[in-house]
Amino acid sequence: MRNVLTPILDPKALADEISGHHFIDGRLAPPASGQLFDVLSPATREVVGHAAKGNETDVDLAVGAAAKAQGEWAKVPARQRGRMVAEVGRRLAQHVEELARLVALETGKAIRTESRVEARVVSDMFEFFGGLGSEIKGESVPFSPDMLTVTVREPIGVVGAIMPWNLPMMLMAMKVAPAMTAGNAVVAKAAEESPLSALRVAQIAGEVLPAGLFNLVTGFGPECGMPLVKHPRVGKITFTGSVETGKLVYAAAGEKLIPVTLELGGKSPMIVMADADIERAVDGAVTGMRFTRQGQSCTAASRIFVHESVHDAFLEKLKAKVDAMKIGDPLDEATDIGCIISEPQYRRVNDYIALGKRTEGAATHACSALPTEPKLRKGLFVQPHIFTGVKNSSRLCQEEIFGPITCLIKWRDQDDVIAQANDSKYGLAATVWTRDLKSALNATRRLEAGFVQVNQNLVVQPNLSYGGVKQSGLGKEASLESMLEHFTHKKTVIVNMA
Ligand code: NAD
C-alpha cells in the first residue's frame, strides 16, 4: 500500500485518493449513509473529487473516538503533547506543495499569492502551539498563610471546531493545534466547499498523533455541523463563519451551557490621513482588501476612508496597482487573483456590483482583465471593483460582501471619520495610515475593532490575539492566552495545611 506520507503533487490524483471519506479514529472512514457530494473546481466547474456527506451518526462516531483518545492524551505531560503537535507541523511542512495545489484546486485561490502561503502558515501554527506545551500552567494565590491555594489549567475534553471555506486549513490549524496542546481531543467539521485540503491535513496529522485525537468530518451545516454542536459529549465549540450561522451555533451551545468562541464577519475600515505615505497606503489597500483572495477575507479593507486632499491620487494609484494584477488559473504561477468559491457566492458578488452601478452618485472602477482561456470559460472569475461616491450608510458599506469589492469614501474631519468607521455592526479589524503619532494613537484608542494596525496590514500572526468585537465575534484565537482561556478550565485548588 502507498505510504500516506508520500506527497502527491497532482491535486486531482490526491483528490481521487482521499475522496469520499471522513477521518475518524486515525483512519479514512466512509460516511455511514454511503452518500457523497461533488467537490467542484471553481475555476473550471469540473467535478474534481467527492466528499463524505456527514450526518449525526458520523459525528457520533467521531466524538466517541475523540472522547476515548482524550482520556489518555490528558495524562501525557503537557510539554510532550506539545512536542507531538509541533511534530505535526514539521510533517506538514513537507507537504506544503501538495496542500497548496489541493487547496488551490478546490477553492480557486491562486497558488503563488494565496494557497502556498496558507499551506506554510498551517505548518507554522502547529509548530507554534506545540512549543507552548509547558505554558499550560496556573497561578499560586496568597489566600491564607496556612493554605496552599493554586489554580490549575485542565483540558475541557472534546472540542468541536467548525470552519469556513476561505482558509480551510489555516483556520482549522488555529483551532486544532491549541486545543490538542491543551490536552483536548478534537472533532473538526470542514466547510462543504473545501473539504479535501482539511481532510488531507487531518490524515497527515494522524500519522503522528494517537488515533482518535484529531477527527475530521465533512458535510453540510445543518446535518453535520449542528449535530456536532449539540452532541452531549462535546464540551466546547470554536466556530469561524458568518454572523447568521454563528448566532445559530451560539444558541444551540447555549442550550448545553458550553463555552463558545466565534470568529465571524467584518467590514473593516482603513483610514488614510492627509499626511500618509500614499504609496505605502495603496500597497496596504491592495493587501488589506485581499484582492489576491478575491476579497474573500473577514478582515478585507472593504471601506477605505481617504482624506479628501489625497483621495483622487490614492484612487488613481490603487486602480493602477490592481489593474496590473493577473486574474487567471489558480494553479498557474503567473496568476495573482483566482476565482470566487461557489456559484451562490458568485451571484451574490455580482448582485453587489450591480447595486453599486445603479447607486446614485457612485462611480464604478472595474480593474484587471478577466481570463480568456477556453478551459476557464465557465470559471467563477470576477473583476475587482472599486466604488467611489458611495456613503458609509449604503448597503455596499454596511453589508459584508466577501468579494473583490471595496469602497473609497472621502472625508475631511478626523472625529467624523472615526465615527463613520465605527458606524458598523462589525468590529473585526481596522488600519490607520498616517505619519503623525498623535493621530495614530487617537485612532487606535477610539476604533471599535479587535485588531488595529498603523501603517501596515498584516494578516493573522501566531501569538497575536485575533478576534472581533460587536457582531464580529466572541473570544480570541492564535495566541497563548487564547489557548489558555478558550481550551482549558481553570480549577482552583486549596490545601489546608493547618
Ligand atoms: P458559513 O457560516 O456559511 O459556514 C461556516 C461553517 O458553518 C461551515 O462549515 C458550514 O457548513 C457550517 N454551518 C452552516 N450552517 C450551520 C448550522 N446550522 N449549524 C452548524 N454549522 C453550520 O460561512 P462561510 O460562508 O463558510 O464563510 C464565510 C464567513 O466566514 C464570512 O462571514 C466571513 O467573514 C467569516 N469568516 C470569519 C473569519 C474570522 O476569523 N473572523 C475568518 C474567515 C471567515
Side-chain angles (χ1 to χ4, degrees):
M1 217 181 116
R2 203 188 65 80
N3 181 346
V4 168
L5 290 179
T6 307
I8 303 179
L9 292 176
D10 173 356
K12 286 190 189 161
L14 178 53
D16 256 0
E17 175 98 8
I18 58 175
S19 265
H21 296 96
H22 304 297
F23 189 77
I24 298 178
D25 207 9
R27 56 187 171 271
L28 291 177
S33 67
Q35 289 183 351
L36 307 181
F37 61 95
D38 293 344
V39 180
L40 299 171
S41 148
T44 60
R45 313 269 278 283
E46 288 165 2
V47 175
V48 292
H50 297 92
K53 199 168 172 201
N55 63 18
E56 212 171 334
T57 310
D58 301 302
V59 168
D60 190 50
L61 280 172
V63 173
K68 194 160 138 257
Q70 198 267 331
E72 289 307 307
W73 182 242
K75 291 182 202 157
V76 176
R79 187 148 176 240
Q80 175 127 1
R81 289 198 305 252
R83 273 198 202 106
M84 288 171 82
V85 172
E87 177 59 20
V88 171
R90 285 189 286 276
R91 296 283 173 100
L92 287 168
Q94 291 160 18
H95 292 261
V96 162
E97 196 51 36
E98 65 157 18
L99 290 171
R101 292 182 190 187
L102 186 59
V103 82
L105 180 73
E106 68 176 354
T107 64
K109 293 193 298 180
I111 182 104
R112 175 177 50 82
T113 55
E114 286 290 332
S115 294
R116 203 172 281 126
V117 180
E118 180 184 2
R120 288 197 190 109
V121 178
V122 173
S123 146
D124 193 31
M125 280 288 172
F126 279 93
E127 282 208 52
F128 166 70
F129 279 109
L132 297 181
S134 50
E135 295 301 315
I136 320 268
K137 57 194 180 194
E139 302 124 358
S140 69
V141 186
F143 176 63
S144 166
D146 51 7
M147 291 184 203
L148 174 70
T149 308
V150 294
T151 60
V152 290
R153 292 280 182 179
E154 294 189 343
I156 292 169
V158 178
V159 170
I162 301 180
M163 287 91 59
W165 45 260
N166 61 335
L167 290 159
M169 305 183 292
M170 198 280 261
L171 294 172
M172 177 170 77
M174 226 156 84
K175 299 173 184 306
V176 169
M180 292 191 309
T181 303
N184 305 284
V186 182
V187 177
K189 147 71 181 97
E192 45 273 47
E193 295 86 350
S194 57
L196 298 177
S197 50
L199 180 65
R200 180 64 172 153
V201 170
Q203 189 190 28
I204 294 164
E207 292 295 298
V208 177
L209 300 168
L213 195 69
F214 176 6
N215 307 275
L216 181 107
V217 290
T218 61
F220 293 83
E223 298 154 27
C224 185
M226 197 43 91
L228 180 60
V229 180
K230 291 187 171 172
H231 197 290
R233 295 176 83 180
V234 171
K236 153 92 197 184
I237 289 289
T238 165
F239 170 86
T240 302
S242 63
V243 173
E244 296 69 32
T245 313
K247 287 180 181 172
L248 294 175
V249 166
Y250 194 42
E255 286 292 313
K256 287 168 37 184
L257 279 181
I258 60 166
V260 182
T261 308
L262 299 173
E263 297 289 354
L264 309 177
K267 195 75 193 175
S268 298
M270 163 170 181
I271 300 178
V272 182
M273 308 260 180
D275 68 342
D277 176 336
I278 294 299
E279 291 293 341
R280 197 167 159 186
V282 167
D283 284 343
V286 173
T287 51
M289 184 47 217
R290 311 275 185 270
F291 281 117
T292 53
R293 205 187 300 153
Q294 301 75 255
Q296 299 172 139
S297 164
C298 49
T299 55
S302 46
R303 294 183 296 147
I304 307 183
F305 296 93
V306 188
H307 190 270
E308 58 179 8
S309 62
V310 290
H311 176 277
D312 294 355
F314 185 95
L315 172 65
E316 286 317 309
K317 286 178 191 293
L318 181 59
K319 278 196 316 194
K321 280 252 152 81
V322 184
D323 256 336
M325 297 169 89
K326 181 175 186 287
I327 307 179
D329 182 350
L331 284 157
D332 183 344
E333 294 289 338
T335 297
D336 297 300
I337 300 177
C339 52
I340 299 289
I341 184 77
S342 65
E343 277 182 50
Q345 189 59 18
Y346 178 78
R347 280 196 298 274
R348 225 176 138 252
V349 170
N350 280 303
D351 284 350
Y352 278 107
I353 292 173
L355 172 69
K357 285 183 175 164
R358 59 173 195 270
T359 299
E360 220 184 292
T364 312
H365 311 271
C367 302
S368 194
L370 291 173
T372 51
E373 290 161 66
K375 70 169 181 182
L376 304 177
R377 200 169 32 90
K378 293 187 180 162
L380 304 173
F381 296 94
V382 173
Q383 281 178 286
H385 277 68
I386 303 165
F387 287 103
T388 50
V390 287
K391 292 199 170 67
N392 184 54
S393 55
S394 67
R395 281 185 55 208
L396 278 184
C397 293
Q398 290 294 321
E399 297 174 11
E400 185 181 45
I401 299 172
F402 231 60
I405 301 174
T406 193
C407 297
L408 250 60
I409 304 167
K410 260 187 206 168
W411 63 274
R412 182 177 298 167
D413 174 74
Q414 225 178 92
D415 287 336
D416 178 56
V417 76
I418 303 248
Q420 288 196 61
N422 287 339
D423 182 14
S424 165
K425 68 177 181 178
Y426 297 107
L428 191 55
T431 60
V432 185
W433 301 78
T434 179
R435 291 184 169 100
D436 178 45
L437 190 59
K438 197 169 160 201
S439 301
L441 292 178
N442 177 42
T444 59
R445 188 171 50 77
R446 293 167 64 194
L447 282 167
E448 296 166 0
F451 204 76
V452 182
Q453 301 180 64
V454 177
N455 294 334
Q456 67 170 20
N457 221 328
L458 292 179
V459 293
V460 179
Q461 302 290 315
N463 213 23
L464 297 185
S465 277
Y466 170 78
V469 297
K470 304 201 275 192
Q471 296 212 7
S472 288
L474 288 175
K476 303 285 171 195
E477 288 193 319
S479 61
L480 167 62
E481 63 270 23
S482 69
M483 174 173 79
L484 296 176
E485 274 167 38
H486 299 302
F487 293 117
T488 68
H489 286 302
K490 192 185 226 183
K491 181 186 274 180
T492 300
V493 178
I494 312 173
V495 182
N496 190 329
M497 300 176 296

